[in-house]
Amino acid sequence: MDSSPAKVTLTRRGYWLSMAALVVAVPAALAAQTWGSIKDWRSQHLRQPVSGTLGQPIDYAGASWTVTRLTRLAGKGSTVFLAEFEALAADPKALGAVPCQVRLSDESGREWQPTLFADPVVTQQYPDVRNRSLCGGVAFAATEPGKPARMAASFLIPPGASSLTLSIALYSALPDYLSVSEPQT
Amino acid sequence: MMRLVVSALALLFAAAVLYGMQHTRPLYSDITSPIVSSGGMNKRVEASAFALSLDSARTARVLNVETFGKSKTYTSSGVWVVVEGEAEAKFETLGLTSGEWLSSSGVRYVLTDRVPATIEMMPGDAYQPGLPRRVLLVFEVPEDAVAGGTVVVARTKLLPLDDEIRIATSASGKDIEPAITIRRNDQGPPWTVLPQR
């Protein structure tokens, strides 16, 4: 067995080089393996708000969006929050196939999903909203170019919920989403 | 020689460690099993995403269901367990689609599918943050599965590492009523369990 100093030095150098390569190779392999999952997680969870104001149009996802009215209605043991909004798109049909998500959140981070006008108080006081779509899809598909797609969503919330923010997310525009807060009275 | 012995011992030690790890390895179902929060009747049990309390667990040999003025009787070779309580989402709107009766011997029974959909059982509802909602769970189980039974509720059976609430009921299996009626209400609470107690 050759154990000359030169050979030993070479062996040691190879050993430490291998160790150093491991420090780089292991994280690189982990990153390569999980990159797809990280991308999926980012697309689902990382959101960037595009803040708008009630009644003011704002450009989002290739259309001009306006939240026209935010109304609180007294329901049975709860409050019904009605959000009405519209979008003027140059090509409504292009947005017709894009999934859309509407949410309402408060200052403590609680988040409500729409109830599809389940509370009769909405249809009694605002019968016209029943014919509107929730968001995206049918609303855009049924709209002629040059005319706004009118949409609405209702939420069941506790009467004490405050600092409410409506968010509208079109999947084609993620991570951006439209965010409009209820005016403070 | 010494080096050889040390190497052999190290090899044996490594083999023993690997053997031990192989035989104590938890199953995938254990690693991804739900995160359980437990409690008893009439107590609000908190999971990370929702809270649940149960205030009534009744058993009967016959179940009557009254909806829209029509009554239908459901018999069983076992017994009916009718559980009522209240559920609330904590941070986001959610559904509670999985309800099970866990007998003291470890057998799980899912919610009955014999009760018509006009009676809103727990999986059919959406639970909103800050708005507690009454829940109804109906199980059809063998008579010997009643005593010491536990109600197990989760958002879904499919999500690994998700919340699960287990509430030990006070059912003894001895106070089985001849019949219980669930009546759908048009106003007020969505249903009433009769006879009232």
Side-chain angles (χ1 to χ4, degrees):
Chain A
M1 201 178 194
D2 183 7
S3 57
S4 64
K7 182 80 177 172
V8 169
T9 308
L10 205 66
T11 309
R12 277 190 185 161
R13 188 175 291 162
Y15 172 79
W16 286 114
L17 269 175
S18 305
M19 291 299 281
L22 264 183
V23 172
V24 178
V26 169
L30 279 174
Q33 282 288 321
T34 52
W35 184 243
S37 305
I38 292 168
K39 265 176 69 179
D40 287 349
W41 184 88
R42 277 174 61 91
S43 66
Q44 283 172 27
H45 293 91
L46 280 192
R47 300 280 165 99
Q48 190 67 37
V50 175
S51 296
T53 311
L54 181 66
Q56 301 293 317
I58 185 168
D59 288 338
Y60 170 69
S64 175
W65 293 75
T66 309
V67 176
T68 51
R69 191 160 51 177
L70 299 173
T71 316
R72 286 186 186 232
L73 307 163
K76 290 180 195 166
S78 60
T79 294
V80 179
F81 189 89
L82 177 64
E84 294 168 82
F85 47 98
E86 58 188 36
L88 185 62
D91 184 6
K93 301 282 184 289
L95 289 175
V98 180
C100 180
Q101 191 184 62
V102 187
R103 294 284 184 270
L104 187 71
S105 58
D106 74 352
E107 58 189 349
S108 61
R110 294 184 296 181
E111 199 176 87
W112 291 271
Q113 292 176 20
T115 56
L116 302 172
F117 316 120
D119 200 296
V121 71
V122 177
T123 43
Q124 281 164 9
Q125 296 188 28
Y126 295 87
D128 58 315
V129 302
R130 196 170 198 166
N131 300 323
R132 296 194 204 172
S133 297
L134 183 61
C135 179
V138 182
F140 287 111
T143 305
E144 296 299 319
K147 288 186 176 174
R150 300 179 72 204
M151 295 161 272
S154 73
F155 304 86
L156 272 180
I157 59 171
S162 58
S163 301
L164 296 171
T165 301
L166 178 77
S167 64
I168 301 165
L170 260 74
Y171 282 26
S172 61
L174 287 176
D176 290 347
Y177 70 92
L178 186 60
S179 168
V180 176
S181 295
E182 182 190 30
Q184 300 289 329
T185 51
Chain B
M1 182 65 187
M2 192 62 187
R3 183 177 283 182
L4 205 67
V5 171
V6 169
S7 297
L9 281 175
L11 208 65
L12 275 175
F13 176 72
V17 168
L18 286 174
Y19 181 81
M21 285 170 71
Q22 187 187 32
H23 283 263
T24 55
R25 177 173 58 96
L27 295 172
Y28 182 74
S29 56
D30 295 331
I31 299 168
T32 57
S33 62
I35 296 162
V36 175
S37 307
S38 302
M41 294 292 285
N42 299 305
K43 288 193 178 105
R44 183 178 157 103
V45 181
E46 304 264 351
S48 64
F50 68 98
L52 176 73
S53 63
L54 300 180
D55 47 56
S56 165
R58 300 169 66 174
T59 47
R61 300 204 180 277
V62 171
L63 184 71
N64 298 308
V65 176
E66 287 182 16
T67 56
F68 304 114
K70 288 184 180 174
S71 179
K72 192 167 179 185
T73 298
Y74 296 87
T75 56
S76 172
S77 55
V79 293
W80 294 97
V81 182
V82 178
V83 182
E84 289 179 282
E86 195 172 81
E88 181 185 354
K90 290 168 81 172
F91 304 111
E92 61 179 348
T93 306
L94 52 83
L96 297 172
T97 61
S98 173
E100 292 177 325
W101 180 265
L102 178 64
S103 77
S104 55
S105 59
V107 180
R108 287 170 179 257
Y109 300 88
V110 296
L111 289 164
T112 182
D113 58 0
R114 293 179 64 193
V115 173
T118 45
I119 298 289
E120 279 180 32
M121 276 211 284
M122 184 191 71
D125 291 325
Y127 299 87
Q128 309 286 353
L131 293 173
R133 184 174 187 145
R134 295 290 294 167
V135 292
L136 174 71
L137 302 100
V138 182
F139 304 95
E140 186 180 9
V141 304
E143 194 170 331
D144 60 4
V146 173
T150 299
V151 171
V152 181
V153 170
R155 283 199 285 189
T156 163
K157 287 294 288 174
L158 305 173
L159 272 181
L161 296 170
D162 201 17
D163 288 333
E164 182 179 275
I165 287 182
R166 294 186 177 204
I167 295 184
T169 65
S170 50
S172 65
K174 290 175 183 165
D175 51 353
I176 300 171
E177 299 171 61
I180 279 180
T181 300
I182 301 174
R183 178 186 291 158
R184 180 192 158 95
N185 299 328
D186 294 330
Q187 291 185 332
W191 69 85
T192 307
V193 178
L194 301 169
Q196 286 182 326
R197 355 183 247 203

